[in-house]
Amino acid sequence: MTTATDLTPAPDPGRDDVPVLEDVPASPVRRFWAVRRIPAALLAALVLAGTGLLLYDIAAVRADRTAMAWRRELADGLATRPLDDAPIIGGAVLAVLLGLWLLVLAATPGLRAVLPMRRAHADVRAGLDREAAALALRDRAMEVSGVQSAKVRVGRSKAAVRAVSHFRALDEVRADLETALAAGVDELALAHPPSLDVRVARPPRKG
């Protein structure tokens, strides 16, 4: 009679089985889409008002009442005015511009002020405001020796840093800034880290 031997290794009590960020498979990260409540509410209100007014006038005509003056004038104008008339061309241009604006709103994500962050879980999304990212990088820049003041502007693909150094060589300050800011950008955990554009200058002379 033979007995099977369990060759499964015993769990190591010193090993941490909790997955870290590097162990989690990367998920595709997309930009945040704006809800655009104001354009949607305005368009819905206009469509509702126009549709309600038209249905009321049609119901009034069906009830043997006279159609509203605006609809009679509109029908007469469309029947008698030529297509190259200025008011008709202006209305057509306005309708085209409004349609293009709505198409742009529907096809673009918006929320340019929110930068998507790396995803540790597929069902969790996080974003970082550009101003908050700029403030964090500015604090990093102010920690560098020789930096008197710093201005940081964070975009979708680039972080522009303008620093003023009142002592030390500018090349050394710039190198330290690039190193510190690169670490700061990595700590922001952005899905698409912006590239750095660092410039250092001397303070303006007084008088």
Side-chain angles (χ1 to χ4, degrees), residues 48-81:
L48 181 61
T51 304
L53 187 61
L54 183 60
L55 289 178
Y56 173 80
D57 192 46
I58 293 175
V61 172
R62 293 293 184 180
D64 296 332
R65 294 184 179 180
T66 305
M68 292 184 179
W70 66 269
R71 196 156 73 95
R72 295 197 305 269
E73 293 178 0
L74 180 61
D76 293 341
L78 293 176
T80 57
R81 288 189 177 185

Side-chain angles (χ1 to χ4, degrees), residues 1 3 20 29 60-61 85 125 136 177 179 201-202:
M1 181 176 179
T3 58
V20 296
V29 179
V61 172
D85 195 29
R125 297 186 65 191
L177 271 175
T179 302
R202 292 297 186 195

Side-chain angles (χ1 to χ4, degrees), residues 29-127:
V29 179
R30 298 182 178 89
R31 290 176 56 191
F32 289 88
W33 283 73
V35 180
R36 295 189 172 101
R37 294 184 177 90
I38 295 178
L42 291 177
L43 180 61
L46 290 175
V47 172
L48 181 61
T51 304
L53 187 61
L54 183 60
L55 289 178
Y56 173 80
D57 192 46
I58 293 175
V61 172
R62 293 293 184 180
D64 296 332
R65 294 184 179 180
T66 305
M68 292 184 179
W70 66 269
R71 196 156 73 95
R72 295 197 305 269
E73 293 178 0
L74 180 61
D76 293 341
L78 293 176
T80 57
R81 288 189 177 185
L83 294 179
D84 57 352
D85 195 29
I88 294 180
I89 294 178
V93 170
L94 182 62
V96 170
L97 293 178
L98 179 60
L100 290 176
W101 179 59
L102 294 175
L103 288 176
V104 169
L105 291 181
T108 54
L111 288 182
R112 299 177 61 87
V114 180
L115 301 174
M117 303 177 67
R118 292 196 295 263
R119 302 181 67 172
H121 303 279
D123 55 346
V124 177
R125 297 186 65 191

